Amino acid sequence: MTRVRTAGGRLVGERQSGVAVFKGIPFAEPPVGELRWRPPRRAPAWDGERRADTFGPAPLQPQPPRDSIMYHTNFADRRALVMSEDCLYLNVWTPDTAGGLPVMVWIHGGGNRYGHGGQEIHDGTAMARRGLVAVTLNHRLGALGFLAHPELAAENDTGASGNYGLLDIVAALTWVRENIAAFGGDPDRVTLAGNSAGAAHICHLMAAQRSRPLFRAALAQSASGVGRAEGPLPEQATAQKQGLRWAEHFGGRGITSLRRLDGVELVLQGHFGPVVDGHLLTEPSDDVFAEGRQHAVPLLLGSNRDEGSVYATLDAVRHLPLGPGGDELYPVRDADEVRRTARRFTGESRFTYPVWHWATAHRTKAPTWLYRFERTPPLPADLEVAPPRDGLGSYGVHHTAELPYALDNLDCRPWPWTDRDRELARTMADAWARFIETGDPNGGDLPVWPAFTGTEAMVLGDTVEAGTVERLEAMRLLARCPRPL
């Protein structure tokens, strides 16, 4: 057992695989009852020693389809999923509590609908063994995390509503700032890292003034909060109207009545995400980045070769961009081309272009690196996975395919990994650790990463080597699109 003293009280953790692990640490008061849809409050202190050997409950969320590729990559854990509205807990892995170590705070993905900090795929052991402190966290999801509503704005001193999940992340980062030294971490060397929706949250936190003192670098995988295909973040008035329409599912009840309903009912309805709330996000993140006013921190980000394979349908071709070059970049001359173009356009418009746009908007403000992940994970032949909706036979290097590699957690999935997979996972996690330590993925025996100036990209696949952005003309075409796609 390992003991530390935090501002809230003493914790007793465990030693596993050479690192100390502290699970289920409360960083905010349970957001239940009258605290539902309120900003997080500081967690109450406790007397005596608190055991920190069990992950806290996951946020309330629906269950992803078990025949989906996303389920098998992200959520097929050996532990049963335990959920509760009382979910604001974080977890810490540390190799040494003596002090001075860089810190990675990981934000999970899941479309603001699924996921939690205790997922096996986000385990921090392998990263901690590389000499850093790893932190994972929960935040509120779905309507519980992001509902905007006129009554919520009226009861808030700043007139804000929505973004409770983002505020949870800020509360966790504040806890890290105040307590991570007890675990051996340096509060001035915190890197935000995450994938998918977690990556988009990082982008918004780079735009928000309030969160900037809480981290000094950012590492984001396969999503962005700017250059989004669906358009910029909704303003407060628009978001509140959406909240009123959502409440119609429950008979148009007011917030007082909605606070009495079972939270499970609430997260099953609607899709939610960050909004311009006027408090944390005071303006669209697109505007902040367009004018170069974001947090000027080192940034490493990238995407996967087949991001669109999970989401593409043939209907996507109805939204293809028009104009010079469009027909050549997104051809639809026969049925096979339609299927390939639907996948490519979905992936590029929703993921690859927004990530490139983020890198492009940031490269003149601070050092920036871009990668492209090209390794197809070795899914077992007997894995029961629904076929892609676009009619193509394989998911390829799908959205989240990089997750088992990024934190060197291949063994979380019982798949037929090869020596090449393991080498790629080591190299990728080593580069991530180097970036977290120094703000630069270069150094030592690692492959040399070129800084991004508009066209450079590190290719992470069967080999790891410097390359260039694929389909740069498609990126430029999407940048010229005058409206959401």
Side-chain angles (χ1 to χ4, degrees):
M1 293 189 293
T2 303
R3 290 173 167 83
V4 299
R5 180 182 291 276
T6 70
R10 289 174 291 174
L11 291 168
V12 182
E14 298 180 317
R15 291 202 69 84
Q16 300 173 357
S17 303
V19 303
V21 186
F22 299 83
K23 303 173 182 176
I25 306 171
F27 66 84
E29 193 171 349
V32 300
E34 288 302 308
L35 296 186
R36 178 185 286 175
W37 294 312
R38 294 187 190 275
R41 299 182 182 181
R42 182 180 293 270
W46 59 86
D47 295 325
E49 291 186 333
R50 179 188 178 105
R51 293 195 64 84
D53 56 3
T54 304
F55 290 110
L60 295 181
Q61 57 193 272
Q63 296 294 295
R66 288 182 176 265
D67 65 348
S68 67
I69 189 65
M70 301 294 287
Y71 170 80
H72 288 285
T73 300
N74 291 268
F75 306 110
D77 289 350
R78 291 161 290 189
R79 295 187 301 269
L81 179 62
V82 177
M83 299 183 294
S84 172
E85 197 168 351
D86 174 6
C87 65
L88 298 185
Y89 299 90
L90 55 76
N91 317 291
V92 179
W93 289 259
T94 179
D96 186 354
T97 58
L101 298 176
V103 181
M104 176 191 76
V105 177
W106 180 266
I107 306 173
H108 69 80
N112 303 314
R113 186 171 172 84
Y114 308 106
H116 58 96
Q119 291 168 244
E120 291 176 354
I121 205 70
H122 307 320
D123 185 276
T125 301
M127 297 303 285
R129 292 174 71 176
R130 286 170 163 83
L132 57 88
V133 179
V135 179
T136 65
L137 60 94
N138 295 343
H139 62 83
R140 284 172 280 183
L141 301 172
L144 294 176
F146 295 95
L147 176 69
H149 192 283
E151 292 181 36
L152 293 174
E155 69 182 23
N156 185 278
D157 291 341
T158 66
S161 66
N163 288 345
Y164 306 104
L166 270 182
L167 291 168
D168 293 341
I169 297 172
V170 173
L173 287 170
T174 301
W175 184 95
V176 168
R177 180 78 182 172
E178 296 173 352
N179 293 281
I180 206 64
F183 300 85
D186 183 344
D188 292 322
R189 300 173 69 195
V190 173
T191 295
L192 280 189
N195 81 298
S196 198
H201 292 333
I202 291 169
C203 190
H204 296 311
L205 293 175
M206 287 175 64
Q209 288 286 346
R210 179 178 169 186
S211 55
R212 296 186 188 187
L214 302 175
F215 63 101
R216 63 122 195 201
L219 195 166
Q221 300 169 196
S222 291
S224 171
V226 294
R228 291 154 26 116
E230 63 268 32
L233 295 183
E235 300 280 353
Q236 186 69 185
T238 300
Q240 289 180 19
K241 290 178 182 178
Q242 293 170 346
L244 288 170
R245 288 196 296 271
W246 170 85
E248 292 174 2
H249 291 287
F250 306 96
R253 302 186 191 197
I255 291 299
T256 299
S257 178
L258 288 169
R259 282 189 170 124
R260 298 193 188 107
L261 293 182
D262 188 326
V264 174
E265 295 182 55
L266 303 178
V267 297
L268 296 178
Q269 294 288 344
H271 293 270
F272 292 86
V275 302
V276 179
D277 62 358
H279 176 55
L280 178 63
L281 301 182
T282 57
E283 57 185 314
S285 298
D286 283 278
D287 293 352
V288 175
F289 276 85
E291 297 173 12
R293 293 185 282 109
Q294 70 274 17
H295 195 14
V297 295
L299 176 65
L300 189 158
L301 70 169
S303 58
N304 299 347
R305 188 182 64 202
D306 299 306
E307 293 279 8
S309 64
V310 175
Y311 306 99
T313 66
L314 299 185
D315 184 63
V317 298
R318 295 197 304 111
H319 304 280
L320 292 175
L322 304 176
D327 291 344
E328 292 79 13
L329 289 165
Y330 297 110
V332 290
R333 290 167 296 206
D334 57 47
D336 286 341
E337 277 194 340
V338 167
R339 285 190 287 270
R340 290 193 297 270
T341 290
R343 174 176 293 195
R344 173 170 279 171
F345 173 68
T346 300
E348 290 181 344
S349 64
R350 290 184 59 176
F351 300 99
T352 311
Y353 164 71
V355 167
W356 179 82
H357 178 89
W358 185 3
T360 301
H362 195 68
R363 65 183 178 85
T364 60
K365 299 295 295 182
T368 303
W369 293 268
L370 187 70
Y371 74 83
R372 182 171 68 254
F373 189 79
E374 291 196 338
R375 179 71 175 170
T376 302
L379 302 180
D382 61 350
L383 204 63
E384 295 184 4
V385 178
R389 294 180 295 171
D390 58 14
L392 298 175
S394 168
Y395 283 99
V397 191
H398 58 83
H399 185 61
T400 75
E402 88 292 353
L403 269 184
Y405 300 83
L407 305 184
D408 199 1
N409 281 332
L410 299 186
D411 290 336
C412 290
R413 296 292 175 260
W415 297 352
W417 305 108
T418 66
D419 289 343
R420 184 167 290 176
D421 290 308
R422 295 190 181 280
E423 181 180 356
L424 176 58
R426 285 192 297 269
T427 301
M428 196 168 176
D430 284 348
W432 271 213
R434 185 76 177 189
F435 178 79
I436 292 162
E437 179 184 5
T438 67
D440 188 326
N442 289 293
D445 296 328
L446 291 169
V448 177
W449 283 63
F452 177 75
T453 64
T455 62
E456 301 83 357
M458 197 68 171
V459 181
L460 305 171
D462 293 345
T463 60
V464 177
E465 57 190 357
T468 58
V469 173
E470 278 193 329
R471 291 174 51 80
L472 187 60
E473 286 307 310
M475 302 298 100
R476 291 169 174 164
L477 172 65
L478 293 171
R480 296 194 298 268
C481 290
R483 58 179 175 80
L485 301 171

